Structures are given as C-alpha cells and as structure tokens.
Coordinates of all heavy atoms in Angstrom, one line a residue:
A1 N 9.6 11.4 -6.4 CA 8.1 11.5 -6.4 C 7.7 11.3 -7.9 O 8.3 11.8 -8.8 CB 7.6 12.8 -5.9
N2 N 6.6 10.5 -8.0 CA 6.0 10.2 -9.3 C 6.9 9.5 -10.3 O 6.9 9.7 -11.5 CB 5.5 11.5 -10.0 CG 4.4 12.2 -9.1 OD1 3.5 11.6 -8.7 ND2 4.6 13.5 -8.9
T3 N 7.8 8.7 -9.7 CA 8.8 8.0 -10.5 C 8.9 6.6 -10.0 O 9.2 6.3 -8.9 CB 10.2 8.7 -10.4 OG1 10.1 10.0 -10.8 CG2 11.2 7.9 -11.3
G4 N 8.7 5.6 -10.9 CA 8.9 4.2 -10.6 C 7.7 3.7 -9.7 O 6.7 4.3 -9.5
H5 N 7.9 2.5 -9.2 CA 6.9 1.8 -8.3 C 7.6 0.8 -7.5 O 8.7 0.3 -7.8 CB 5.8 1.2 -9.2 CG 6.3 0.0 -10.0 ND1 6.9 0.2 -11.2 CD2 6.3 -1.3 -9.7 CE1 7.2 -1.0 -11.7 NE2 6.9 -1.9 -10.8
M6 N 7.0 0.5 -6.3 CA 7.6 -0.5 -5.4 C 7.2 -1.9 -6.0 O 6.1 -2.2 -6.3 CB 7.0 -0.3 -4.0 CG 7.7 -1.2 -3.0 SD 7.4 -0.7 -1.3 CE 5.6 -1.2 -1.2
K7 N 8.3 -2.7 -6.1 CA 8.1 -4.0 -6.6 C 7.3 -4.9 -5.7 O 7.5 -4.8 -4.4 CB 9.4 -4.7 -6.9 CG 10.3 -3.8 -7.9 CD 11.7 -4.5 -8.0 CE 12.6 -3.6 -8.8 NZ 13.0 -2.4 -8.0
L8 N 6.4 -5.8 -6.2 CA 5.6 -6.7 -5.3 C 6.5 -7.6 -4.5 O 6.1 -8.0 -3.4 CB 4.7 -7.5 -6.2 CG 3.4 -6.7 -6.7 CD1 2.6 -7.7 -7.6 CD2 2.6 -6.2 -5.6
E9 N 7.7 -7.9 -5.0 CA 8.5 -8.8 -4.2 C 9.2 -8.2 -3.0 O 9.8 -8.9 -2.2 CB 9.6 -9.5 -5.1 CG 10.5 -8.5 -5.8 CD 10.0 -8.2 -7.2 OE1 8.8 -8.2 -7.5 OE2 10.8 -7.9 -8.1
E10 N 9.1 -6.8 -2.9 CA 9.6 -6.2 -1.7 C 8.9 -6.7 -0.5 O 7.7 -6.8 -0.4 CB 9.5 -4.7 -1.8 CG 10.4 -4.0 -2.9 CD 11.9 -4.2 -2.6 OE1 12.2 -4.3 -1.4 OE2 12.7 -4.1 -3.5
L11 N 9.7 -6.9 0.6 CA 9.1 -7.3 1.9 C 8.8 -6.1 2.7 O 9.7 -5.3 3.0 CB 10.1 -8.2 2.6 CG 9.6 -9.0 3.8 CD1 8.4 -9.9 3.5 CD2 10.7 -9.8 4.4
T12 N 7.6 -5.9 3.1 CA 7.2 -4.8 3.9 C 7.0 -5.1 5.4 O 6.9 -6.3 5.8 CB 5.8 -4.2 3.4 OG1 4.8 -5.1 3.7 CG2 5.9 -3.9 1.9
L13 N 6.9 -4.1 6.2 CA 6.6 -4.3 7.6 C 5.3 -5.0 7.8 O 5.2 -5.9 8.7 CB 6.5 -2.9 8.3 CG 7.8 -2.3 8.9 CD1 7.5 -0.9 9.4 CD2 8.4 -3.2 10.0
A14 N 4.3 -4.7 7.0 CA 3.0 -5.3 7.1 C 3.1 -6.8 6.8 O 2.5 -7.6 7.6 CB 2.0 -4.7 6.1
E15 N 3.9 -7.2 5.8 CA 4.0 -8.6 5.5 C 4.7 -9.4 6.6 O 4.4 -10.5 7.0 CB 4.8 -8.8 4.2 CG 3.9 -8.3 3.0 CD 4.8 -8.3 1.7 OE1 5.7 -7.5 1.6 OE2 4.5 -9.1 0.8
L16 N 5.8 -8.8 7.2 CA 6.5 -9.4 8.3 C 5.6 -9.6 9.5 O 5.6 -10.7 10.1 CB 7.7 -8.5 8.6 CG 8.9 -8.6 7.7 CD1 9.9 -7.5 8.0 CD2 9.6 -9.9 7.7
L17 N 4.9 -8.6 9.8 CA 4.1 -8.6 11.0 C 2.9 -9.6 10.8 O 2.5 -10.3 11.7 CB 3.6 -7.2 11.4 CG 4.7 -6.3 12.0 CD1 4.3 -4.9 12.1 CD2 5.3 -6.8 13.3
K18 N 2.3 -9.5 9.6 CA 1.2 -10.5 9.3 C 1.7 -11.9 9.5 O 0.9 -12.7 10.0 CB 0.7 -10.2 7.9 CG -0.6 -11.0 7.5 CD -1.1 -10.6 6.2 CE -2.3 -11.3 5.8 NZ -2.8 -10.9 4.5
N19 N 2.9 -12.2 9.1 CA 3.4 -13.6 9.2 C 3.6 -14.0 10.7 O 3.7 -15.1 11.0 CB 4.8 -13.7 8.5 CG 4.6 -13.7 7.0 OD1 3.5 -13.9 6.4 ND2 5.6 -13.3 6.2
H20 N 3.6 -13.0 11.6 CA 3.8 -13.2 13.0 C 2.4 -13.1 13.7 O 2.4 -12.8 15.0 CB 4.8 -12.3 13.6 CG 6.2 -12.7 13.3 ND1 6.8 -12.4 12.1 CD2 7.1 -13.4 14.0 CE1 8.1 -12.9 12.1 NE2 8.3 -13.6 13.2
G21 N 1.3 -13.1 13.0 CA 0.0 -13.2 13.6 C -0.6 -11.8 13.8 O -1.7 -11.8 14.5
Y22 N -0.1 -10.8 13.3 CA -0.7 -9.5 13.4 C -1.8 -9.3 12.3 O -1.7 -9.8 11.2 CB 0.3 -8.4 13.2 CG 1.2 -8.0 14.4 CD1 2.1 -8.9 14.8 CD2 1.0 -6.8 15.0 CE1 3.0 -8.6 15.9 CE2 1.8 -6.5 16.1 CZ 2.8 -7.4 16.5 OH 3.6 -7.1 17.6
R23 N -2.9 -8.5 12.7 CA -3.7 -8.0 11.7 C -3.2 -6.6 11.3 O -2.7 -5.8 12.2 CB -5.2 -7.9 12.2 CG -5.5 -7.1 13.4 CD -6.9 -7.3 13.8 NE -7.2 -6.5 15.0 CZ -7.8 -5.3 15.0 NH1 -8.2 -4.8 13.8 NH2 -8.1 -4.7 16.1
T24 N -3.3 -6.3 10.0 CA -2.6 -5.1 9.5 C -3.5 -4.2 8.8 O -4.4 -4.6 8.0 CB -1.5 -5.5 8.6 OG1 -2.0 -6.4 7.5 CG2 -0.4 -6.3 9.3
G25 N -3.4 -2.9 9.0 CA -4.3 -1.9 8.4 C -3.5 -0.7 7.9 O -2.6 -0.2 8.5
H26 N -3.9 -0.3 6.7 CA -3.4 0.9 6.0 C -4.5 1.9 5.8 O -5.5 1.6 5.3 CB -2.8 0.5 4.6 CG -2.3 1.7 3.8 ND1 -3.2 2.5 3.1 CD2 -1.1 2.2 3.6 CE1 -2.5 3.5 2.5 NE2 -1.2 3.3 2.8
F27 N -4.2 3.2 6.3 CA -5.2 4.2 6.3 C -4.6 5.5 5.8 O -3.7 6.1 6.4 CB -5.8 4.4 7.7 CG -6.5 3.2 8.2 CD1 -5.8 2.2 8.8 CD2 -7.9 3.1 8.1 CE1 -6.5 1.1 9.3 CE2 -8.6 2.0 8.6 CZ -7.8 1.0 9.2
G28 N -4.9 5.9 4.5 CA -4.4 7.1 4.0 C -3.6 6.9 2.7 O -4.0 6.2 1.8
K29 N -2.5 7.6 2.6 CA -1.8 7.8 1.3 C -0.9 6.6 1.0 O -0.1 6.2 1.8 CB -1.0 9.1 1.3 CG -0.3 9.4 0.1 CD 0.5 10.7 0.2 CE 1.2 11.1 -1.0 NZ 2.0 12.4 -0.8
W30 N -1.0 6.0 -0.2 CA -0.2 4.9 -0.7 C 0.8 5.5 -1.6 O 2.0 5.7 -1.3 CB -1.0 3.8 -1.3 CG -0.2 2.7 -1.8 CD1 0.0 2.2 -3.1 CD2 0.5 1.7 -1.0 NE1 0.8 1.1 -3.1 CE2 1.1 0.8 -1.9 CE3 0.8 1.6 0.4 CZ2 1.9 -0.3 -1.4 CZ3 1.5 0.5 0.8 CH2 2.1 -0.4 -0.1
H31 N 0.5 5.7 -2.9 CA 1.3 6.4 -3.9 C 2.7 5.7 -4.0 O 3.7 6.4 -4.1 CB 1.5 7.9 -3.6 CG 1.9 8.6 -4.8 ND1 2.7 9.8 -4.8 CD2 1.7 8.4 -6.2 CE1 2.9 10.2 -6.0 NE2 2.4 9.4 -6.8
L32 N 2.7 4.4 -4.0 CA 3.9 3.6 -4.2 C 3.8 2.7 -5.4 O 4.5 1.7 -5.5 CB 4.2 2.8 -2.9 CG 4.5 3.6 -1.7 CD1 4.6 2.7 -0.5 CD2 5.7 4.5 -1.8
G33 N 3.0 3.0 -6.3 CA 2.8 2.2 -7.5 C 1.4 1.5 -7.5 O 0.6 1.8 -6.7
G34 N 1.3 0.6 -8.4 CA 0.0 -0.2 -8.5 C -1.0 0.5 -9.4 O -2.2 0.5 -9.1
Y35 N -0.5 1.2 -10.4 CA -1.4 1.9 -11.3 C -2.5 0.9 -11.9 O -2.2 -0.2 -12.3 CB -0.7 2.5 -12.5 CG -1.6 3.2 -13.5 CD1 -2.1 4.5 -13.2 CD2 -2.0 2.6 -14.7 CE1 -2.9 5.2 -14.0 CE2 -2.8 3.3 -15.6 CZ -3.3 4.6 -15.2 OH -4.1 5.2 -16.1
G36 N -3.8 1.3 -11.7 CA -4.8 0.5 -12.2 C -5.3 -0.6 -11.2 O -6.2 -1.4 -11.4
T37 N -4.6 -0.7 -10.1 CA -4.9 -1.6 -9.0 C -5.1 -0.8 -7.7 O -4.1 -0.7 -6.9 CB -3.8 -2.7 -8.9 OG1 -2.6 -2.1 -8.6 CG2 -3.7 -3.5 -10.1
P38 N -6.3 -0.3 -7.4 CA -6.5 0.6 -6.3 C -6.1 -0.1 -5.0 O -5.9 0.6 -4.0 CB -8.0 0.9 -6.4 CG -8.3 0.7 -7.8 CD -7.4 -0.4 -8.3
E39 N -6.1 -1.4 -4.9 CA -5.8 -2.1 -3.7 C -4.4 -2.4 -3.5 O -4.0 -3.4 -3.0 CB -6.7 -3.4 -3.6 CG -8.1 -3.2 -3.5 CD -8.5 -2.5 -2.3 OE1 -8.3 -3.0 -1.2 OE2 -9.1 -1.4 -2.3

C-alpha cells in the first residue's frame, strides 16, 4: 500500500473488454497511481 504505481502499459480487464465492444465504468476507489492525474 502507498508504494509504487501501476504502469500505463499494463493491460487491464477494462481495456480488454473495451476492445471487444464493451462500455466500461469504474465507480469508487482507484489508488493505483496517477498522482496529479485524477482521471
């Protein structure tokens, strides 16, 4: 916890499903990096 960040090049479930025509939504806690980039 509170150590490191997830690299942008990591492939997520959302990216895989989006590539297969899904709409994707995140609701709640992220805390996987992206300091200064709330999105």
Side-chain angles (χ1 to χ4, degrees):
N2 301 309
T3 302
H5 66 278
M6 189 166 71
K7 306 175 186 68
L8 285 176
E9 56 266 29
E10 291 294 337
L11 189 62
T12 68
L13 273 174
E15 290 171 293
L16 286 169
L17 291 170
K18 187 176 181 180
N19 290 339
H20 283 81
Y22 279 71
R23 59 189 180 95
T24 54
H26 174 283
F27 298 82
K29 183 178 179 180
W30 181 246
H31 199 210
L32 297 174
Y35 179 77
T37 56
E39 292 297 300

